[in-house]
Amino acid sequence: MNRIINLLLFFTLTFISVYGQSPTGDKALSNSAEIALKQASLRGKVTDENNAILPGASVVIAGTEKGVHANENGEYFLDKLQVDKLSIKASIMGFETQTVEINIQPGINELNFTLIENIVHLDPVMVIAQKREQQILDVPSAISVVGSGIIENANLVELGQLSEFVPGLFITEQGANRPSFVIRGLTSEEISPSAQPRVSTYFNNVPINRANGASVALFDMDRVEVLKGPQNTLFGRGSQIGVVHFISKSPSNTNEGYLTAGIGNYNQKEFRGAVNVPVIENKLSVRLAGIYDFRDGYVQNTFGGTLNGKNTTAGRLSVRFLPAKNQRLDLILNYQKDDTPGVAFMSKQFPNATGDTNIFGYRASLEQGKNLSTGKELFDASLYYKYNINEHTYWSTITSFRKSSSSARWDGDGTSAPAIDMWEDASADQFYQEFRYNFSVKSRLNGSAGVSYWHENADQTYWFSPNEQSMAVLFLNPEYLIMPDGQPLLLPALPDNPELGPLAGMPLPANHQENNYSVATNQAVEAFVDFTYRITDKLSLAGGMRSAQEYFKLNNEAAFTDGLPSTLGMMTGNYPNLFFRPSLEKSMNDNCLSFNWQAGLQYKINEYTNVFTNYSNGRRPRVLQYTSVGTPEVLAAEWIDNFDAGIKSTVSGNVFIDAVAFYQKYNEFQTSAWIADTETGEFNYKSINGGKATSYGLETSINASILKKLNLFGNYAFLHAIFDDTNKDGLEQEYAGNTFRLSPKHTFTMGLNARTKITSKINFFVTPSYSYKTHFFFEDANTPGLEQPAFGLLNINLGIEQVKPNIILSIYCTNMLNEQFITSAGNTGSLFGVPTFVPGPPRMIGSKLTWKF
């Protein structure tokens, strides 16, 4: 604890002594006049012809190393200027560059820019990837943005659909409780409640460290920013391979809103809307948004109910208060509840009750019927405060509390047999506090520094209730689990076989229940700094470092909870349980101090073309876990070294191209696998050390405005991610030569967004898109059969829009070609040689009516 306190004091004193400056902010600030007498500075605003602000616009002094980006209000501030005649240049994607010569006088000078749109142009894209407003063109790293326009035009309502628009990102959702985010072949899956994600998800600048809280409903979103490659220095310890940052729409000073109602097949019902009210003009604004989205499952269960459905209710309250011209306070309250049917884990080996083994008949026979379910509930509250010293120098704080819980009950064998009946409950409470200082020194050194504290209590319960009269068949003769007539085989007792010794002929219980309970306390204190230094007018150096003092504690216990003792547990050594050996509560803990850093160079060929190269390292903390027999295990921390280089360019204001090549080396690679060892009695799904691995690839995208109302877009990603032949000790690895799971070698998406007038008041619009993935495995073990062949999905959203009143009627269709593909393979059944598969959604159609006011 003393080390943590000293670390906090050190960074706080450093910030005050190095970056503390007398305020030079707005004229309203009390001491601005005094500063104006001592130095020359220039401030102003960048807008378009309609007086709309252009945040992120680049404002530089031509031929010098001084330059900044317009802040969220479109304002800029250049200080420490010479009293001289200077050329000031403002630029942003989609607009003509404007250069103005001005005679700088002592004190504060003012110069506003009004940029002219190119006749055919792309809309500018503002991001906060480096914790300050910039246009995407100027961010020297691999970043993709899915804006509200694409979300609306392409009718993106699922996270998996969203990921198709980001090269290098793959998101799968088996149910509402546990999405998997995959960036460059690394997944965010956490097996133990002490394990931390590789892909960090953020919601409005607040980290989401549990997968059950990362399944964010895509309603009233401003944009989603996706950063690829290690982001530990900017986004913290959980960002080993990338970040997915969800940013909702903020309250504005305008009365506006919308209402949407939709219907579709599979009994689809959707209602969503938002209203924005400026309660006190330029002082207090409120935005309220919500969604209800219901759909029956597309898989029928012969035992009752449906599977793979949807039932989401969510709401968000955002309040913005401006107590003074240089202060801002944002309060965001967010709630979401999902109560959905279970996941259709289906067997290809055994028939359903109608004798069919084709999972794309979308008919399962899972004996628990309507008891199968997935769900989650989350609530978060965050308070953001910002105090401006000037347009680019300010203090900010974020205080956040998040509470999430999730549950899932599934049929592990995927058949009508009552062999594997499992339930998982998980919950987490998280507190996050951040203090950040954003600085601009001489308009040449721009960046931020700060400290943060994160605390989490997470728990996880696995409940297992096998009917051992069916489970015994899996142990002895799994091929007879289901008979040819589709009925399960039940053994009332173990066979009277001498090879079974004293267990021969023993009765098998039909009801046995056991559970395994884990609870973790995770916390971290972090200190960080990130900066960009303009060496010349064309060359910039970017760098950053973050230190983290982390503490983890994991408690675990297992118990026999109901029914009869397990007979099969005498075979596994876990009696009176089968899977989890009963044990009293036990505990282990770990703590560590780590450092991450990154550095890179960016060369600005002109205002619209940048090339860059970076080195960064990423880290995943040690994983604490217990085996099924209660043995503690600690996996070494996983490290990644990342090298990348890229180019971003805007051509004539109407074509944006970016391409990034990367090379990554992994040490102590952590993977997950089903482990079965009959000698020790261990049967569990856990993290294991996969050794060393290497990946390299290319990610590129293009967005082109061909005509004023015709945009073409596309992306392509190549990924070669494999386990090395030998580990760090030179010994051959178990997975040598295997590819990472959920890692297709080639992916691409292409599409267009077109609008045309039917009459003076009615427009027609259409947005088709096609996404393609080559072959990939679902396990790092690359088990034959647990894989997905190459496939493509065609989606479309089209309709008509009336201008006044603004009413939109749209029709959508996903998977138009009714492609047959799977979203999961292996799963719990793999442990017993009966893998299960989850069929992807078939063709879905629907219609929506929207009123914007």
Side-chain angles (χ1 to χ4, degrees):
M1 183 58 70
N2 288 335
R3 184 189 297 177
I4 296 175
I5 295 173
N6 291 335
L7 193 63
L8 284 169
L9 288 174
F10 170 76
F11 272 87
T12 302
L13 292 174
T14 300
F15 300 157
I16 294 173
S17 62
V18 175
Y19 300 115
Q21 302 176 46
S22 299
T24 62
D26 195 87
K27 290 179 180 179
L29 298 177
S30 61
N31 54 356
S32 61
E34 178 184 348
I35 292 175
L37 297 174
K38 296 181 180 180
Q39 62 186 35
S41 60
L42 178 67
R43 64 154 37 97
K45 181 176 284 191
V46 185
T47 62
D48 65 9
E49 295 174 284
N50 299 315
N51 205 35
I53 61 174
L54 296 174
S58 175
V59 182
V60 300
I61 302 176
T64 76
E65 69 284 352
K66 288 183 176 290
V68 294
H69 290 90
N71 65 18
E72 62 183 347
N73 299 315
E75 302 165 337
Y76 73 92
F77 180 74
L78 295 165
D79 66 346
K80 304 281 194 304
L81 304 184
Q82 295 180 353
V83 177
D84 199 356
K85 186 176 184 179
L86 300 177
S87 292
I88 314 299
K89 186 181 294 186
S91 63
I92 194 169
M93 183 173 70
F95 290 76
E96 297 178 9
T97 299
Q98 185 176 0
T99 303
V100 176
E101 292 189 347
I102 181 173
N103 289 310
I104 299 297
Q105 303 298 322
I108 297 178
N109 300 260
E110 291 192 8
L111 176 62
N112 295 325
F113 287 91
T114 302
L115 302 188
I116 310 300
E117 286 184 346
N118 293 313
I119 296 176
V120 178
H121 71 282
L122 294 171
D123 291 331
V125 180
M126 191 273 288
V127 298
I128 54 172
Q130 291 186 293
K131 301 300 183 178
R132 59 185 184 275
E133 294 81 9
Q134 296 170 276
Q135 58 174 323
I136 190 172
L137 183 70
D138 293 332
V139 178
S141 62
I143 177 175
S144 300
V145 176
V146 182
S148 59
I150 285 290
I151 293 174
E152 179 180 340
N153 293 334
N155 189 40
L156 303 183
V157 295
E158 309 283 353
L159 292 178
Q161 294 174 331
L162 175 81
S163 67
E164 305 293 352
F165 289 79
V166 178
L169 174 67
F170 187 11
I171 304 177
T172 63
E173 286 189 286
Q174 287 188 353
N177 65 317
R178 193 180 287 277
S180 289
F181 294 81
V182 187
I183 291 182
R184 295 179 178 175
L186 284 190
T187 69
S188 56
E189 188 174 76
E190 311 102 43
I191 306 302
S192 164
S194 79
Q196 302 304 302
R198 294 185 176 112
V199 178
S200 185
T201 50
Y202 268 67
F203 186 77
N204 291 325
N205 291 298
V206 176
I208 306 171
N209 275 70
R210 289 294 119 193
N212 58 10
S215 185
V216 176
L218 296 176
F219 71 99
D220 206 44
M221 284 290 166
D222 182 72
R223 64 188 184 276
V224 181
E225 299 181 10
V226 181
L227 289 84
K228 290 155 284 185
Q231 302 295 327
N232 292 92
T233 59
L234 279 166
F235 287 88
R237 13 173 306 289
S239 311
Q240 179 198 6
I241 196 60
V243 173
V244 179
H245 190 181
F246 300 94
I247 302 171
S248 63
K249 290 185 177 181
S250 300
S252 64
N253 201 43
T254 306
N255 279 299
E256 61 172 354
Y258 62 89
L259 290 172
T260 295
I263 58 173
N265 58 345
Y266 296 99
N267 199 26
Q268 170 86 36
K269 302 180 187 71
E270 180 183 354
F271 302 95
R272 66 172 68 204
V275 59
N276 189 96
V277 179
V279 180
I280 303 175
E281 188 175 0
N282 297 319
K283 183 69 70 172
L284 178 64
S285 298
V286 175
R287 188 177 187 90
L288 183 65
I291 184 175
Y292 170 73
D293 193 358
F294 174 87
R295 186 192 69 226
D296 285 337
Y298 56 83
V299 175
Q300 290 289 327
N301 190 357
T302 62
F303 284 84
T306 63
L307 302 164
N308 292 8
K310 189 174 186 179
N311 185 9
T312 298
T313 303
R316 183 181 306 123
L317 172 66
S318 305
V319 180
R320 173 162 291 180
F321 177 52
L322 306 175
K325 198 168 184 180
N326 65 327
Q327 297 180 57
R328 193 185 93 200
L329 197 66
D330 285 326
L331 172 67
I332 300 176
L333 304 178
N334 197 66
Y335 174 80
Q336 181 174 336
K337 183 176 182 179
D338 295 89
D339 185 10
T340 65
V343 178
F345 294 111
M346 301 171 67
S347 173
K348 290 183 178 181
Q349 180 181 353
F350 301 107
N352 60 19
T354 62
D356 191 4
T357 57
N358 179 19
I359 66 172
F360 295 108
Y362 301 104
R363 196 170 179 83
S365 293
L366 309 183
E367 85 286 347
Q368 284 299 320
K370 294 182 180 180
N371 289 332
L372 301 176
S373 64
T374 64
K376 76 167 181 297
E377 187 172 15
L378 66 87
F379 169 80
D380 64 70
S382 63
L383 185 65
Y384 176 83
Y385 174 73
K386 180 179 180 182
Y387 176 82
N388 286 78
I389 298 172
N390 62 42
E391 287 82 346
H392 309 293
T393 303
Y394 59 87
W395 290 93
S396 65
T397 70
I398 299 175
T399 305
S400 170
F401 173 77
R402 169 175 285 261
K403 184 179 181 64
S404 63
S405 61
S406 65
S407 64
R409 187 172 184 177
W410 69 96
D411 188 310
D413 53 79
T415 72
S416 60
I420 308 175
D421 183 14
M422 298 192 73
W423 184 301
E424 179 195 15
D425 275 318
S427 65
D429 295 338
Q430 174 186 294
F431 172 79
Y432 180 73
Q433 178 67 60
E434 177 189 280
F435 297 94
R436 183 180 295 270
Y437 178 67
N438 277 63
F439 56 83
S440 180
V441 179
K442 298 182 179 180
S443 303
R444 185 178 185 180
L445 176 66
N446 300 287
S448 65
V451 294
S452 67
Y453 173 70
W454 167 77
H455 183 278
E456 176 190 55
N457 292 318
D459 64 74
Q460 183 182 62
T461 301
Y462 280 110
W463 174 86
F464 182 49
S465 178
N467 181 331
E468 294 204 356
Q469 296 180 2
S470 180
M471 177 63 74
V473 181
L474 282 180
F475 272 58
L476 302 174
N477 296 294
E479 65 272 19
Y480 295 111
L481 181 67
I482 299 295
M483 303 305 289
D485 61 359
Q487 297 302 309
L489 175 64
L490 300 178
L491 299 176
L494 287 172
D496 193 9
N497 187 334
E499 294 183 2
L500 294 176
L503 297 180
M506 286 195 65
L508 294 165
N511 179 27
H512 167 78
Q513 298 181 34
E514 60 187 74
N515 68 26
N516 184 283
Y517 176 70
S518 298
V519 59
T521 300
N522 310 311
Q523 56 184 331
V525 175
E526 301 176 76
F528 50 85
V529 61
D530 186 85
F531 66 89
T532 299
Y533 180 72
R534 297 171 64 94
I535 300 173
T536 69
D537 60 332
K538 292 184 177 294
L539 184 65
S540 297
L541 169 68
M545 187 189 77
R546 181 178 291 251
S547 67
Q549 177 69 58
E550 300 167 282
Y551 173 79
F552 304 100
K553 181 180 180 181
L554 179 65
N555 289 14
N556 176 264
E557 60 182 292
F560 164 53
T561 58
D562 201 359
L564 298 174
S566 168
T567 298
L568 297 177
M570 299 178 189
M571 299 173 62
T572 64
N574 292 330
Y575 183 85
N577 283 347
L578 175 59
F579 264 14
F580 310 114
R581 181 180 296 175
S583 63
L584 298 176
E585 184 177 9
K586 47 197 174 298
S587 176
M588 60 175 163
N589 57 68
D590 185 34
N591 66 86
C592 59
L593 177 64
S594 63
F595 294 89
N596 289 94
W597 64 280
Q598 64 91 19
L601 291 172
Q602 180 187 48
Y603 184 76
K604 198 175 185 70
I605 297 175
N606 54 47
E607 301 96 82
Y608 302 109
T609 303
N610 297 315
V611 293
F612 61 88
T613 182
N614 291 302
Y615 165 78
S616 56
N617 58 36
R619 173 183 175 273
R620 189 189 197 194
R622 291 190 285 262
V623 173
L624 280 60
Q625 62 184 12
Y626 285 92
T627 68
S628 62
V629 296
T631 304
E633 289 185 344
V634 179
L635 295 185
E638 178 181 309
W639 285 89
I640 175 175
D641 291 294
N642 173 78
F643 305 86
D644 61 37
I647 182 171
K648 298 182 182 183
S649 180
T650 300
V651 182
S652 301
N654 67 325
V655 179
F656 175 70
I657 301 172
D658 78 280
V660 178
F662 62 90
Y663 178 81
Q664 298 175 150
K665 293 290 293 183
Y666 303 87
N667 286 296
E668 307 292 355
F669 186 87
Q670 298 167 5
T671 184
S672 55
W674 287 103
I675 304 298
D677 188 334
T678 54
E679 292 184 3
T680 63
E682 296 187 18
F683 288 86
N684 59 336
Y685 187 57
K686 62 179 184 176
S687 296
I688 62 173
N689 192 319
K692 293 170 62 179
T694 302
S695 71
Y696 56 85
L698 173 70
E699 298 157 353
T700 183
S701 63
I702 183 170
N703 195 351
S705 185
I706 305 302
L707 301 172
K708 196 169 185 180
K709 297 296 183 180
L710 176 60
N711 284 8
L712 303 181
F713 55 85
N715 65 65
Y716 166 76
F718 163 74
L719 176 63
H720 181 79
I722 62 172
F723 290 88
D724 293 352
D725 291 337
T726 58
N727 62 19
K728 64 181 180 180
D729 299 320
L731 302 176
E732 184 178 354
Q733 299 187 144
E734 181 180 0
Y735 290 163
N738 286 6
T739 61
F740 291 4
R741 73 188 195 96
L742 300 175
S743 300
K745 196 165 190 176
H746 303 277
T747 63
F748 72 81
T749 294
M750 59 183 182
L752 61 87
N753 180 34
R755 304 179 75 86
T756 187
K757 285 184 178 293
I758 298 177
T759 69
S760 60
K761 293 185 177 181
I762 298 179
N763 299 321
F764 170 78
F765 62 88
V766 60
T767 304
S769 64
Y770 180 76
S771 301
Y772 181 83
K773 291 180 174 63
T774 56
H775 169 273
F776 58 90
F777 287 98
F778 286 95
E779 296 180 343
D780 288 330
N782 289 185
T783 306
L786 305 185
E787 55 199 305
Q788 170 60 52
F791 73 104
L793 297 176
L794 176 63
N795 302 325
I796 192 169
N797 186 50
L798 57 88
I800 56 174
E801 178 181 13
Q802 178 178 281
V803 178
K804 289 185 179 180
N806 193 187
I807 297 176
I808 304 168
L809 175 64
S810 62
I811 299 172
Y812 65 86
C813 182
T814 60
N815 193 5
M816 285 184 65
L817 305 179
N818 213 24
E819 184 82 9
Q820 295 181 352
F821 64 101
I822 58 176
T823 60
S824 180
N827 309 302
T828 313
S830 287
L831 178 62
F832 303 96
V834 288
T836 59
F837 304 82
V838 180
R843 181 189 299 117
M844 293 192 177
I845 59 175
S847 179
K848 296 182 181 181
L849 185 65
T850 299
W851 172 39
K852 294 183 177 181
F853 52 87

